[in-house]
């Protein structure tokens, strides 16, 4: 049965308020070239076939609440001046809501339909699709949502196309939605933000060339078969906290901040990032996860660079891996100057690839009281900066951010030790040497360590920088050599080299001779006379041979003998420390 409401004389019908509540239409129904000046209601109506609205204008509300349409429901070349309410409607076929504009709010709450078309619709009021069930593909490409869009708890069984859609003033909400296949936001515009909190996503999420002026939230979302998210450009926050990734995924994002607190990766993942400040505190990594800083911009499917509006610094900064078991974590080409490592598990298995930047001590010479201080150039940890800022002030040392605990050296020493092992396993010996230096520094400043241990470490630091500063060891070796040469010239060499004296006797036919060398005579006279070129040469020969454990054959005074013994103990050790320091920097 085909029912037509049409004015045959003018070609258009003008109707006022029309109510079809609880009406029953046995077959297909077509409303064509009709102008409703009042509201039009089809509440709880039953359509045995399809319903078509073509070239129809609704001057006030259009109401389809709890209606049943066995076939398709089409609205084409249609305008609704006020609200359009379809809550609870059940549509067996395709829903084609291709109206020119909707002046008021739109409510599709609880609607059940097959394929849904909203291409190019301009929603001037709030658009509510919460709880809507779309059993097929959803088309929202080119749609304008002037006052936000609510898809909370909606179910879309097929792909969802939002290409070129515009979301103005209020955020787009997909909280709790079930998106079983891919969802595309290519070239879309989000003026405030978009949330997918608690959503279940079964396919890829594409944001190619999309413009996001607000934040993007995927808190508590579950990604079941998502292989790709992005490329996403967001100057604000991309929040993946408490999200679950059940399959292998690649995330490409140029964002101001990326938060992955308590995120769980149940499969491999690659996070390819630009500009972002990354926080992965307390995340769970069951398979390898790579956080990589990209040097160049992302490209579109046609290999065109994607604009990164609102983002300037391309560095990727990781600020925390605290509470993470990093046995499966790889950090590549990222900035770690503000990264917190305390309370990280299996830190010795962390992999650092590419150029990972770590914080450095202050440069130049500063003063601690009356004494000038120059900090050793090395790679440190942010937590050491926080601790030293409380002790030496914030000049050159970065204080802890607000709300971040400052840890004592006893806590930091094991962190340095585990990172040292991680770099040693990665064949990065020079980098491991810096972490060894940091470990020893924390042990030396540990107030809980025994005083004797701290004194020994202090001496080890002063003499050779824990066996890592060749210049310091060589400087001490030079000073020790100079001092011993001077001591030899003043007190170690005798006044003159004693000549052997032979004495004998003749008994009948035998001759007995005894040869003795007199004890060396201590030098006498003014010190200036002892500082001669000849004595300098002899002293230098004695000291040089002592360094390499060779006997010079030079007669020495008692004082000289003890000086030589001390030289053989101290100076070879200093030479060995210098060699060890050089080797730690060149070993591969």
């Amino acid at each position: 049965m085909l029912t037509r409401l049409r004015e045959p004389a003018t070609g258009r019908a003008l109707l006022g308020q029309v109510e079809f509540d609880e009406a029953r239409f046995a077959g297909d129904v077509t409303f064509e070239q009709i102008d409703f000046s009042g509201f039009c209601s089809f509440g709880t109506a039953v359509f045995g076939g399809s319903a078509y609205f073509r070239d129809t204008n609704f001057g006030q509300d259009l109401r389809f609440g709890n209606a049943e349409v066995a076939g398709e429901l089409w609205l084409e070349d249609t305008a609704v001046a006020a609200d359009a309410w379809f809550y609870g409607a059940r549509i067996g076929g395709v829903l084609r809501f291709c109206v020119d504009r909707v002046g008021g709010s739109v409510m599709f709450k609880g609607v059940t339909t097959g394929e849904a078309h909203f291409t190019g619709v301009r929603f001037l009021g709030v658009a509510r699709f919460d709880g809507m069930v779309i059993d097929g593909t959803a088309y929202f490409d080119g749609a304008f949502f002037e006052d936000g869009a609510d898809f909370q708890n909606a179910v879309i069984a097929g792909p969802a196309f939002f290409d070129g859609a515009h979301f103005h003033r209020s955020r787009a909400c997909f909280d709790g939605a079930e998106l079983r296949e891919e969802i595309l936001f290519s070239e879309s515009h989000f003026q405030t933000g978009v949330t997918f909190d608690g959503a279940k996503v079964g396919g890829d999420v594409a944001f190619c060339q999309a413009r996001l002026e607000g934040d993007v939230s995927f808190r508590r979302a579950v990604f079941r078969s998502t292989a790709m998210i992005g490329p996403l450009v967001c100057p604000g926050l991309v929040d993946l906290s408490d999200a679950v990734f059940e399959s292998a995924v690649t995330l490409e994002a140029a964002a101001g901040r990326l938060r992955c607190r308590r995120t769980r990766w149940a499969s491999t993942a690659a996070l390819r990032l630009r500009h972002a400040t990354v926080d992965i505190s307390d995340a769970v990594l069951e398979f390898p996860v790579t956080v990589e800083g990209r040097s160049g911009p992302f490209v579109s499917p046609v290999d065109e660079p994607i604009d990164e509006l609102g983002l300037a610094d391309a560095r990727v900064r990781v600020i925390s891996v605290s509470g993470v078991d990093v046995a499966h974590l790889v950090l590549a080409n990222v900035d770690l100057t503000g990264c917190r490592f305390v309370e990280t598990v299996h830190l010795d298995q962390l992999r650092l690839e590419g150029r990972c930047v770590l914080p450095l001590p202050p440069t130049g010479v500063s003063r601690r009281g009356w004494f000038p201080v120059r900090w050793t150039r090395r790679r440190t940890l942010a937590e050491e900066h926080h601790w030293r800022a409380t002790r030496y002030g914030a000049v050159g040392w970065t204080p802890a951010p607000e709300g971040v605990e400052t840890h004592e050296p006893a806590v930091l020493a094991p962190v340095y030790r585990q990172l040292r092992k991680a770099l040693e396993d990665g064949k990065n010996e020079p980098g491991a040497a810096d972490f060894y230096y940091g470990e020893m520094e924390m042990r030396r400043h540990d107030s809980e360590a025994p005083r004797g241990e701290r004194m020994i470490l202090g001496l080890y630091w002063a003499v050779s920088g824990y066996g890592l500063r060749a210049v310091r060891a060589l400087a001490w070796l030079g000073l020790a050599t100079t001092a011993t040469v001077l001591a030899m010239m003043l007190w170690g060499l005798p006044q003159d080299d004693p000549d052997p004296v032979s004495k004998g006797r003749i008994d009948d036919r035998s001759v007995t001779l005894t040869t003795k060398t007199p004890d060396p005579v201590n030098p006498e006279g003014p010190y200036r006379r002892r500082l001669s070129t000849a004595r300098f040469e002899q002293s230098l020969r004695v000291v040089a041979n002592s360094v390499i454990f060779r006997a010079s054959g030079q007669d020495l005074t008692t004082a000289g003998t003890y000086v030589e013994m001390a030289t053989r103990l101290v100076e070879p050790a200093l030479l060995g420390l210098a060699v060890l320091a050089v080797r730690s920097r060149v070993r591969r």
Side-chain angles (χ1 to χ4, degrees):
M1 174 180 180
L2 179 62
T3 303
R4 294 180 181 271
L5 298 180
R6 186 172 180 179
E7 176 61 42
T10 63
R12 298 191 65 84
L14 177 62
L15 302 177
Q17 177 178 314
V18 179
E19 297 184 25
F20 293 94
D21 296 342
E22 300 182 2
R24 293 181 176 272
F25 301 89
D28 295 344
V29 179
T30 299
F31 295 84
E32 189 174 6
Q33 294 184 347
I34 303 174
D35 295 329
F36 294 92
S37 59
F39 75 84
C40 183
S41 176
F42 292 86
T44 65
V46 177
F47 294 83
S50 299
Y52 302 97
F53 294 82
R54 297 188 178 97
D55 193 14
T56 302
N57 297 318
F58 298 91
Q60 294 187 21
D61 296 347
L62 171 62
R63 301 176 183 177
F64 254 85
N66 296 313
E68 294 186 18
V69 181
E72 300 175 340
L73 176 59
W74 286 30
L75 289 90
E76 294 184 303
D77 299 325
T78 301
V80 181
D83 299 335
W85 293 355
F86 290 76
Y87 56 86
R90 294 181 295 278
I91 303 167
V94 175
L95 169 61
R96 191 175 184 87
F97 192 83
C98 297
V99 303
D100 297 331
R101 72 180 187 282
V102 180
S105 62
V106 176
M107 182 180 292
F108 283 85
K109 182 177 180 179
V111 171
T112 301
T113 183
E115 191 174 284
H117 294 257
F118 294 87
T119 301
V121 180
R122 194 176 194 92
F123 301 96
L124 300 182
V126 177
R128 296 192 58 180
F129 300 87
D130 45 321
M132 185 177 184
V133 178
I134 302 175
D135 289 332
T137 304
Y139 296 91
F140 290 87
D141 43 314
F144 282 77
F145 300 90
E146 297 290 348
D147 200 14
D150 185 0
F151 290 86
Q152 186 172 358
N153 297 319
V155 177
I156 303 178
F161 297 93
F162 289 84
D163 302 316
H166 294 258
F167 300 86
H168 296 165
R169 289 200 293 272
S170 298
R171 66 186 175 91
C173 176
F174 292 84
D175 297 349
E178 185 174 349
L179 309 169
R180 296 176 183 173
E181 294 191 24
E182 63 180 350
I183 178 168
L184 290 84
F185 293 98
S186 301
E187 300 183 3
S188 297
H189 178 204
F190 297 86
Q191 192 171 15
T192 55
V194 56
T195 60
F196 295 84
D197 297 346
K200 298 176 178 61
V201 184
D204 295 349
V205 184
F207 288 91
C208 184
Q209 300 286 8
R211 181 183 174 191
L212 294 108
E213 300 181 27
D215 299 337
V216 181
S217 177
F218 291 94
R219 293 177 59 88
R220 302 181 306 280
V222 177
F223 297 90
R224 292 172 173 168
S225 301
T226 303
M228 184 71 182
I229 301 177
L232 170 63
V233 178
C234 176
L237 169 67
V238 178
D239 196 349
L240 292 169
S241 298
D242 299 294
V244 178
F245 292 88
E246 297 180 350
S247 62
V249 64
T250 298
L251 169 65
E252 292 185 347
R257 292 178 295 156
L258 175 63
R259 185 183 298 159
C260 301
R261 295 176 182 171
R262 299 174 300 278
T263 304
R264 183 166 70 88
W265 281 279
S267 187
T268 57
L271 279 60
R272 301 168 183 168
L273 309 173
R274 283 175 56 79
H275 308 279
T277 298
V278 186
D279 183 357
I280 55 176
S281 303
D282 301 314
V284 178
L285 285 61
E286 300 179 18
F287 286 83
V289 174
T290 301
V291 179
E292 177 189 1
R294 296 290 295 270
S295 58
F298 299 112
V299 296
S300 66
V302 294
D303 293 331
E304 294 181 354
I306 297 177
D307 293 333
E308 299 174 347
L309 299 176
L311 297 168
D313 189 356
R315 292 180 302 168
V316 175
R317 294 169 293 278
V318 179
I319 61 172
S320 179
V321 293
S322 179
V324 181
D325 186 340
V326 296
H328 294 298
L329 181 61
V330 180
L331 301 178
N333 300 315
V334 296
D335 188 335
L336 301 174
T337 54
C339 187
R340 301 189 298 274
F341 290 95
V342 173
E343 298 180 353
T344 302
V345 181
H346 290 147
L347 194 55
D348 57 326
Q349 299 181 40
L350 174 67
R351 290 180 56 190
L352 300 178
E353 304 287 347
R355 184 173 182 267
C356 293
V357 181
L358 289 157
L360 301 174
T363 57
V365 179
S366 58
R367 287 189 175 274
R368 191 190 305 170
W370 292 96
F371 301 97
V373 176
R374 181 181 179 276
W375 300 101
T376 300
R377 192 75 170 172
R378 61 185 173 91
R379 281 166 281 192
T380 63
L381 298 182
E383 286 95 342
E384 182 179 346
H385 273 251
H386 301 165
W387 172 74
R388 290 193 184 272
T390 62
R391 183 168 182 174
Y392 305 118
V395 180
W397 296 104
T398 305
E402 185 177 356
V404 175
E405 181 183 359
T406 299
H407 298 280
E408 295 298 316
V411 178
L412 301 182
V415 176
Y416 271 114
R417 186 180 307 119
Q418 293 181 64
L419 282 173
R420 171 175 60 86
K421 184 179 183 300
L423 265 65
E424 287 175 345
D425 292 343
K427 306 303 180 183
N428 184 357
E429 295 295 340
D434 280 347
F435 286 144
Y436 174 73
Y437 193 103
E439 175 192 351
M440 301 301 283
E441 277 285 274
M442 295 301 99
R443 290 178 57 190
R444 182 168 69 91
H445 290 287
D446 183 7
S447 59
E448 301 175 4
R451 183 180 298 272
E453 178 182 339
R454 295 174 62 191
M455 291 179 62
I456 293 173
L457 290 175
L459 179 62
Y460 192 20
W461 164 78
V463 169
S464 65
Y466 309 114
L468 297 173
R469 299 295 179 260
V471 173
R472 192 179 304 181
L474 291 174
W476 279 109
L477 177 61
L479 289 175
T481 301
T482 301
T484 52
V485 168
L486 186 60
M488 283 291 182
M489 293 174 66
L490 295 176
W491 304 288
L493 296 180
Q495 181 73 23
D496 296 302
D497 291 335
D499 295 325
V501 176
S502 298
K503 296 182 180 180
R505 68 178 180 178
I506 301 175
D507 293 330
D508 296 333
R509 296 181 179 179
S510 63
V511 179
T512 302
L513 295 176
T514 303
T515 301
K516 293 183 179 181
T517 301
D519 293 333
V521 178
N522 291 329
E524 297 178 353
Y527 288 142
R528 182 179 301 176
R529 186 181 301 173
R530 304 179 195 178
L531 301 176
S532 63
T533 304
R535 292 176 66 84
F536 171 76
E537 183 181 352
Q538 289 178 310
S539 300
L540 184 60
R541 189 182 302 115
V542 171
V543 173
N545 281 284
S546 298
V547 172
I548 59 175
F549 294 102
R550 289 184 58 186
S552 63
Q554 174 67 47
D555 293 318
L556 301 173
T557 64
T558 302
T561 301
Y562 285 106
V563 169
E564 185 182 35
M565 292 171 59
T567 300
R568 290 192 174 189
L569 177 65
V570 174
E571 295 179 4
L574 292 173
L575 180 61
L577 289 173
V579 173
L580 179 65
V582 173
R583 183 174 181 272
S584 68
R585 289 298 176 183
V586 300
R587 187 172 64 173
R588 298 180 61 184

